[in-house]
């Protein structure tokens, strides 16, 4: 008999089955090792062979193994196992035994999990545990509740291996290690030790334990709603199919009935004409037989008869055949022997023969209120969860500038969850020492986190390190406007407003120009999507092949000196047309959508984040 309340099991986000060797990526998403290995292999086969990363199957975050030089089929197993997600059915007997007894060589089944000690305890050890003054107040949970099975929680920074998470940035609701603070949170004003945040978070804060259950329930509601709509869609599909089949059958039955009537009328008509033709045939047949007999008779008499006999017989036969002919001629003159049947088909049948479809289905799609409400509820709860530590008092908070020395103003970072904006660093243009005022237009991050930017006025590319500090410059021919990754590994494409597109490589700090792709007109924004180069020439957006051949040209109403952005995951690209933002797909000749906002004037820069949110500078 089925278990009344089966223990819930963790499930892989790829196969949707209980975890098999759960492996955790730096973005904290967890997958079965075999599923992850299979996914990485498939993803790597469809990408550049030399690519040393893969996108997370859930959030698309670029992820690399600790050693990129190992075989691709070992990448999945190189990530750490998350023992929290090992399901109870997969645990060994030792996992269910008392850990205090195990330390003295005994083996007894555990009955509780101590949250404070982070270990399993048997009935006897629990008794001693409760009597001990140091552990008496520890919270215990039954081991049958599927308690935490790992002894420790990984508190290392997911971005900087070997560095523990020590502080919490209240400005970004983000746990940080010392390197995170030094690089990404220099100008943040509210940074506190994690232990202090924990005290204020769990003290005087409304309990959010039920939020996880509500999120799960709302997600279940959305899934059940989708499943219900899927069932409804399948049902409606069958109903429409049956209705069309019924209509077709009715038409067939009608046509079959009309065909039966037509065949009957055709048979009756032809029967009359056959009767007339048969009578004529009978008359002609008799004359033909008579003529044949006369021929035989006269032939024999010419050979064997005397002259008198031949004469008499010839006269008789002549009179007899002549009279027969007159009667036949009188009869056949009134009886036609040619009948041409001409089929006159009704116009409806002709129309049917020219039809290319017998109907179409109009689909009215929308999102159900059930899913909308559930989605809104989940978003609100997650926003509450994300902002909970930030709701604590900012008293005694420490600015990163107090820790690291105050940085100058600089590039802005935007937190997608909270919408907060912080300045990381600014560079005095005088320190870049150009003949003309520095005019940075476009930029890209290299594989090692450095920033390569175009200085339009000074005809150069400027390289900054991973902390946005000026590193070196590269002089180029023409006025560079935008830069992006190329079609091949290590390729960099640089658009210039007067020299076309330069294909370069950047290796070991050395920039090498491989070739220049000519492009009619000034080239401003540039992006790569699949095996296509997208360029913004002011009056149009062109889709080009790697050799510069224009595959498609999309005219714009207006807008100069603007960039272009492309999304690989959705095969869409975004560009600026006047004051509007336009989204298109490569395989379509129509706009996917056009966004207008009265507050957006003269936009120039445009970009995407990993979640395909569009950022516009106006």
């Amino acid at each position: 008999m089925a278990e009344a309340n089966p223990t819930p099991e963790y499930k892989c986000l790829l196969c949707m089955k209980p975890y098999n060797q759960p492996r955790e990526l730096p973005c904290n998403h967890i997958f079965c090792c075999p599923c992850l290995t299979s996914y990485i292999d498939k993803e790597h086969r469809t990408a550049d062979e030399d690519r040393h990363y893969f996108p997370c199957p859930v959030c698309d975050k670029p992820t690399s193994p600790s050693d990129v030089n190992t075989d691709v089929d070992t990448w999945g197993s190189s990530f750490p196992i998350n023992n929290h997600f090992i399901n109870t059915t997969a645990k060994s007997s030792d996992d269910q035994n008392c850990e205090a007894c195990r330390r003295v060589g005994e083996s007894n089944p555990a009955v509780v999990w101590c949250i404070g000690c982070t270990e399993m305890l048997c009935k006897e050890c629990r008794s001693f545990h409760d009597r001990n003054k140091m552990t008496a107040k520890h919270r215990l949970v039954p081991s049958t509740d599927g308690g935490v099975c790992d002894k420790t929680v990984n508190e290392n920074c997911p971005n900087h291996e070997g560095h523990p998470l020590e502080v919490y940035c209240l400005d970004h609701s983000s746990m940080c290690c010392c390197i995170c603070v030094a690089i990404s949170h220099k100008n943040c004003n509210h940074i506190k030790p994690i232990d202090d945040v924990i005290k204020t978070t769990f003290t005087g804060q409304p309990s959010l334990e039920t939020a996880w259950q509500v999120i799960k329930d709302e997600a279940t509601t959305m899934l059940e709603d989708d499943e219900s709509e899927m069932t409804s869609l399948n049902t409606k599909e069958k109903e429409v199919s049956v209705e069309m089949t019924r209509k077709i059958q009715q038409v067939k039955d009608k046509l079959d009935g009309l065909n039966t009537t037509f065949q009957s009328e055709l048979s009756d008509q032809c029967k009359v004409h056959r009767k007339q033709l048969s009578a004529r045939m009978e008359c002609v047949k008799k004359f033909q037989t008579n003529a044949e007999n006369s021929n035989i008779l006269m032939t024999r008499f010419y050979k064997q008869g005397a002259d008198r006999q031949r004469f008499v017989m010839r006269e008789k036969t002549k009179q007899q055949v002549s009279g027969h002919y007159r009667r036949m001629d009188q009869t056949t003159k009134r009886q036609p022997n040619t009948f041409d049947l001409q089929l006159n088909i009704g116009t409806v049948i002709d129309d049917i023969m020219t039809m290319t479809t017998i109907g179409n289905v109009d689909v009215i799609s929308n999102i159900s209120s059930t899913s909308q409400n559930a989605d809104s509820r989940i978003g609100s709860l997650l926003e509450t969860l994300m902002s909970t530590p930030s709701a604590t008092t900012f008293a005694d908070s420490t600015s990163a500038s107090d820790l690291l020395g105050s940085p100058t103003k600089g590039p802005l970072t935007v937190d997608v969850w909270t919408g907060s904006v912080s300045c990381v660093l600014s560079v005095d243009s005088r320190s870049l020492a150009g003949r003309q005022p520095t005019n940075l237009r476009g930029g890209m991050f290299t594989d090692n986190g450095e920033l390569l930017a175009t200085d339009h006025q000074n005809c150069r590319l400027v390289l900054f390190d991973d902390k946005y500090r000026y590193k070196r410059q590269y002089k180029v021919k023409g006025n560079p406007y935008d830069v992006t990754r190329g079609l091949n590994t290590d390729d960099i494409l640089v658009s210039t407003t007067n020299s076309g597109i330069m294909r370069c490589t950047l290796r070991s700090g050395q920039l090498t120009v491989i070739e220049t792709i000519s492009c009619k007109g000034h080239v401003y924004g540039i992006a790569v999507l699949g095996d296509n180069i997208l360029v913004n020439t002011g009056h149009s957006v062109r889709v080009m092949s790697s050799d510069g051949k224009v595959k498609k040209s999309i005219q714009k109403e207006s807008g100069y000196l603007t960039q272009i952005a492309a999304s690989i995951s959705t095969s869409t690209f975004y560009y600026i047309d006047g004051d509007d933002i336009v989204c298109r797909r490569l395989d379509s000749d129509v706009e996917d959508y056009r966004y207008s906002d009265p507050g957006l004037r003269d936009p120039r820069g445009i970009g995407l984040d990993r979640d395909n949110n569009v950022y516009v500078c106006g």
Side-chain angles (χ1 to χ4, degrees), residues 25 44 54 94 98 101 105 162 203 266 302 318 330 340 361 384 404 427 462 539:
L25 302 186
H44 199 266
F54 63 92
D94 286 343
C98 174
C101 292
T203 303
L266 174 63
Y302 276 120
K318 182 171 62 175
Q330 291 173 358
D340 186 13
V361 177
T384 301
L404 305 170
V427 179
V462 183
H539 290 292

Side-chain angles (χ1 to χ4, degrees), residues 324 331 449 580 586:
H324 194 170
T331 302
D580 298 343
L586 277 179

Side-chain angles (χ1 to χ4, degrees), residues 344-355:
N344 296 319
I345 299 178
T347 57
V348 174
I349 299 298
D350 288 336
D351 292 341
I352 291 176
M353 295 303 296
T354 59
M355 289 172 56

Side-chain angles (χ1 to χ4, degrees), residues 294-489:
S294 298
N295 179 59
I296 296 172
L297 179 63
M298 293 309 299
T299 299
R300 289 177 179 175
F301 268 97
Y302 276 120
K303 291 181 179 180
Q304 302 172 5
D307 290 342
R308 184 179 179 84
Q309 289 176 327
R310 288 200 300 270
F311 175 78
V312 174
M313 186 54 65
R314 185 186 64 189
E315 291 298 318
K316 286 183 177 181
T317 301
K318 182 171 62 175
Q319 294 295 327
Q320 186 265 336
V321 172
S322 178
H324 194 170
Y325 168 73
R326 285 193 300 271
R327 289 193 297 274
M328 182 201 69
D329 183 55
Q330 291 173 358
T331 302
T332 57
K333 280 183 178 180
R334 299 187 300 270
Q335 294 178 342
N337 68 338
T338 300
F339 302 94
D340 186 13
L341 301 182
Q342 295 182 347
L343 178 62
N344 296 319
I345 299 178
T347 57
V348 174
I349 299 298
D350 288 336
D351 292 341
I352 291 176
M353 295 303 296
T354 59
M355 289 172 56
T356 58
T357 177
I358 58 174
N360 64 285
V361 177
D362 293 328
V363 179
I364 302 174
S365 60
N366 52 42
I367 300 177
S368 68
S369 58
T370 300
S371 288
Q372 288 181 357
N373 293 337
D375 181 74
S376 176
R377 177 67 170 154
I378 292 174
S380 298
L381 285 171
L382 285 176
E383 184 177 353
T384 301
L385 288 172
M386 293 297 295
S387 63
T388 297
S390 301
T392 61
T393 176
F394 285 153
D396 301 326
S397 295
T398 303
S399 170
S401 60
D402 297 332
L403 299 173
L404 305 170
S406 180
T408 59
K409 301 175 182 178
L412 299 179
T413 61
V414 180
D415 188 285
V416 177
W417 280 102
T418 64
S420 60
V421 181
S422 62
C423 179
V424 179
L425 181 69
S426 68
V427 179
D428 190 338
S429 62
R430 291 172 296 180
S431 66
L432 299 180
R435 290 186 177 181
Q436 302 292 332
T438 302
N439 189 348
L440 302 181
R441 293 297 182 93
M444 59 163 280
F445 286 101
T446 64
D447 290 338
N448 56 1
E450 295 177 328
L451 174 64
L452 185 66
T454 59
D455 185 354
H456 181 71
Q457 293 294 96
N458 290 289
C459 301
R460 62 180 177 174
L461 302 180
V462 183
L463 184 67
F464 301 89
D465 64 15
D466 57 358
K467 295 181 180 179
Y468 303 113
R469 295 176 301 197
Y470 171 74
K471 193 170 182 181
R472 64 172 59 91
Q473 67 176 5
Y474 305 97
K475 285 289 186 178
V476 296
K477 181 180 179 181
N479 298 93
Y481 194 91
D482 200 6
V483 59
T484 187
R485 292 180 181 271
L487 298 172
N488 303 315
T489 305

